[in-house]
Amino acid sequence: MIVKYILILFILIPIVYGSTIGIFPLNETFVVKPFKTYNFAFYLFNPSNQDVKVNLYFQCKDQNNFYNYTEIYPKEVFVEANTSILNPKMVLVKIKNPLFIEKNYGKIKYFEPIFLEKDIRCRFFAKTEEKTSLIVTSELNGKIIGINPIKITALFLLMLFVFFFFKVI
Amino acid sequence: MNLNKISVVFLIFLLLLRTNESSDFVAIMNSSISSTSFYYIQTSNKLSDGIFFTNSSGVLEKKQYPLQPGSSNNNALWNYNTTFNTEYWIYAFVYNTEISICHGAVHHLCSNPNCVGPDNYIIDISNVKWSKSFSNDVNNPSLQEARPFSIGFDNQNKIIEGLNSEATLYFRYWLDVPPGSSASVYNTTYQIMAVVGGYDC
């Protein structure tokens, strides 16, 4: 009887830890159509018995450059103690597709259209504020759909055809 | 009549451009619910508090003392507790996925915050060494297997790669103080990062 009691105590009493942070989902994909916004939620949890404050970052890159048309909300969060995957804290991210991306040529700003598809790799970071920072991350990779020159040309030709067809009639 | 024709053509054009609009919210719901992979990381109290180096007396007294220039293998304060175990550890719980864990310093050890100013003294970060082990006793983690730190997350010397179950990793840290180092308090920022398997930190 005493042995059982001790065992139960061991299971139920959480041990105090420095900082703890958990994350899901981990490796998702997305597709963003022109002028659309892709909304996605990451979830953080903290199975220890101490609340933890984390700063949140969301960073996207194409092959060489940062893709800045993203948002994250909130930017910092308290993840309460004793939370699990069943009652996590939600963090929202947005990836926008404006179809035209702002670029700089020296001091001159201009807008470059996205053609076909642009592969984007995004990473979500949740970083604790202790002296030794603990960072958990998750990946979100996908495509930004751009202008398809063949499709546009075909549509234009079709439009012309329909226009002249009506004109003849 | 002519206006009507143009309207019809424009309408057809719009219909052709129309795409499937319903994907955004479906995506967010599906991805959230269907996800069955997760991980969490815990760091020990002493690791969260930061790593402070001391001399041979200080490591027994658990007190930080100034270090002598030219001295080597100065222990971090909690490399050895009263039972000669290290108090620096991380615990990872991984479910249905693989993760890699890296660590690194943001900059060299500097006497001024952010390493700026003409009176800033620097100790190269390679003078700090670390060692890891799955076991925790007087010999493990060992100084013999220690590796120097580098700036940023060291993808060549990850703490662990392809971890797919739960594990506790124990650490010890040492500092060599180069000869001729100026008397000062030196700091850097130490970070530990977990990434989904296959990706660099």
Side-chain angles (χ1 to χ4, degrees), chain B residues 51-53 64 67 74 105-116 119-129 149-151 174-178 181-182 184-190:
Chain B
I51 299 158
F52 303 96
F53 293 96
Q64 214 181 359
L67 300 173
N74 295 288
V106 171
H107 50 69
H108 294 292
L109 290 166
C110 294
S111 58
N112 285 358
N114 299 321
C115 301
V116 291
D119 57 340
N120 179 48
Y121 299 111
I122 294 174
I123 294 177
D124 194 283
I125 199 66
S126 61
N127 289 290
V128 183
K129 292 174 284 187
F149 267 100
S150 59
I151 299 293
W174 297 270
L175 171 66
D176 297 337
V177 184
S181 297
S182 299
S184 190
V185 176
Y186 293 87
N187 280 303
T188 187
T189 305
Y190 176 51

Side-chain angles (χ1 to χ4, degrees), chain A:
Chain A
M1 197 61 192
I2 292 166
V3 172
K4 271 185 186 172
Y5 183 65
I6 291 166
L7 270 177
I8 291 164
L9 273 182
F10 266 120
I11 294 161
L12 292 181
I13 296 174
I15 303 160
V16 176
Y17 290 113
S19 60
T20 308
I21 191 79
I23 189 169
F24 71 94
L26 298 179
N27 206 356
E28 299 294 324
T29 55
F30 67 86
V31 176
V32 198
K33 289 170 184 167
F35 304 118
K36 295 285 174 187
T37 300
Y38 182 79
N39 301 291
F40 192 77
F42 289 101
Y43 296 89
L44 299 170
F45 61 97
N46 170 14
S48 77
N49 62 354
Q50 284 179 320
D51 292 351
V52 64
K53 188 184 177 187
V54 289
N55 295 309
L56 308 166
Y57 309 91
F58 186 61
Q59 206 173 66
C60 292
K61 276 183 177 177
D62 62 14
Q63 280 182 334
N64 305 311
N65 305 305
F66 285 104
Y67 184 78
N68 296 321
Y69 297 91
T70 60
E71 282 177 27
I72 183 165
Y73 179 82
K75 287 184 175 151
E76 60 175 43
V77 70
F78 271 100
V79 186
E80 285 92 8
N82 302 313
T83 47
S84 69
I85 57 165
L86 300 174
N87 56 345
K89 201 89 169 181
M90 186 169 77
V91 180
L92 287 170
V93 295
K94 287 182 174 186
I95 304 166
K96 295 173 184 172
N97 180 358
L99 203 59
F100 294 87
I101 292 176
E102 193 178 311
K103 298 257 177 176
N104 291 313
Y105 183 76
K107 285 182 179 177
I108 303 163
K109 280 185 182 175
Y110 65 98
F111 288 88
E112 191 180 274
I114 300 169
F115 285 106
L116 299 173
E117 292 175 354
K118 187 190 267 286
D119 288 325
I120 301 283
R121 289 180 59 182
C122 300
R123 183 173 280 178
F124 171 73
F125 302 80
K127 181 180 177 182
T128 64
E129 282 197 328
E130 273 83 22
K131 281 185 177 163
T132 298
S133 300
L134 173 63
I135 307 166
V136 293
T137 65
S138 179
E139 305 291 324
L140 183 60
N141 300 322
K143 291 180 190 304
I144 303 286
I145 306 294
I147 299 164
N148 188 333
I150 298 164
K151 233 179 188 178
I152 290 291
T153 312
L155 282 174
F156 182 71
L157 289 173
L158 194 64
M159 197 180 75
L160 276 179
F161 171 77
V162 173
F163 181 77
F164 284 112
F165 179 75
F166 272 98
K167 208 174 177 184
V168 168
I169 288 171

